[in-house]
Amino acid sequence: MSRLLALTRRELESHFFAPVPWILTFFFLLLTWYFFQLDVSGFYVAVNYGTVFVALDFILLFLVPLLTMNSVAEERSRNTLETLLTAPVRDWQVIVSKWLGTFAFYVMMLLPTLLYWAVLDYIGREIGKPDTGPILCAYLGALFLGGLYIAIGIFTSSLTENALMSAFLAFFLLISLLSVSVLPFVRDSGPEWLQRGAEYLSQHQHFGEFLKGRVDLHDVVYFVSMTAFFLFLAVRSLESRKWR
């Protein structure tokens, strides 16, 4: 456990002392503030600033691949990965620590958005106070969604030494999961089992349930199992170096 914590701290520090994560944080907050402004300007229902969370799914499509692209790929290109793996640590500890460190940084990116809640709650508007339950559900969904996206990004980063290629692969996988249920040959002419399977794989469907203020075990299991699956693939990708 101490080794895992040390590796996690190392990964988190790598985000704090690199410019790219802070640039991404700036754009993340800028975009979420923009969508919050749309809510409070009267174009949308502002009680739960739901537009921010609806847009979050698409914002993370672009930001998370860039946030995770260097997690393993950079270590491969600098030949520091082999040094790390020759230390008394397991492959799974390396991958899990990278996920934990990046996820912790993502949580820090989300924290300033609580200001939007404070704006609605304490400054006040005629529309009334924000609903605590749906907002908490939306934040819980945002944590699950970010955790899954980060796991996918770490997996693609473990496949290559090229950080940009890692980001592209992660973006492609995320888009595939998002759009699999609306592909014409699946939606219109696919058998029922294929349509149901594609709908289950789409993270947008499960995240949408959290935005409705519902926490269903079915959706929690989806995010936990999919996150674990991609972390498992990342571990196997690291282990594959032994087969070469």
Side-chain angles (χ1 to χ4, degrees), residues 87-206:
V89 295
R90 307 290 292 274
D91 290 349
W92 70 266
Q93 290 176 321
V94 173
I95 292 299
V96 171
S97 67
K98 289 185 177 297
W99 183 86
L100 288 173
T102 307
F103 183 74
F105 190 85
Y106 168 68
V107 172
M108 294 179 187
M109 291 172 65
L110 272 180
L111 285 177
T113 65
L114 293 174
L115 174 65
Y116 311 154
W117 193 348
V119 168
L120 292 181
D121 194 33
Y122 295 109
I123 295 180
R125 285 174 54 86
E126 294 180 358
I127 58 174
K129 299 290 185 180
D131 295 332
T132 300
I135 291 179
L136 289 177
C137 286
Y139 272 108
L140 180 61
L143 292 176
F144 279 123
L145 184 70
L148 172 58
Y149 281 17
I150 291 168
I152 292 175
I154 290 175
F155 164 60
T156 59
S157 183
S158 71
L159 298 175
T160 177
E161 295 180 359
N162 190 308
L164 291 179
M165 178 59 71
S166 166
F168 173 78
L169 291 174
F171 179 75
F172 176 78
L173 274 177
L174 293 175
I175 286 292
S176 298
L177 284 178
L178 182 65
S179 60
V180 64
S181 63
V182 296
L183 293 174
F185 71 88
V186 174
R187 182 190 58 198
D188 301 329
S189 58
E192 183 178 355
W193 65 266
L194 182 60
Q195 294 178 1
R196 289 182 177 274
E199 184 176 350
Y200 180 79
L201 286 177
S202 175
Q203 74 272 29
H204 184 70
Q205 302 290 333
H206 299 277

Side-chain angles (χ1 to χ4, degrees), residues 35 45 115 127 132 134 137 155 163 190 211 214 219 221 225 228 234 242:
F35 286 105
V45 178
L115 174 65
I127 58 174
T132 300
C137 286
F155 164 60
L211 301 189
R214 297 198 291 262
D219 302 307
V221 169
S225 60
K242 303 173 183 177

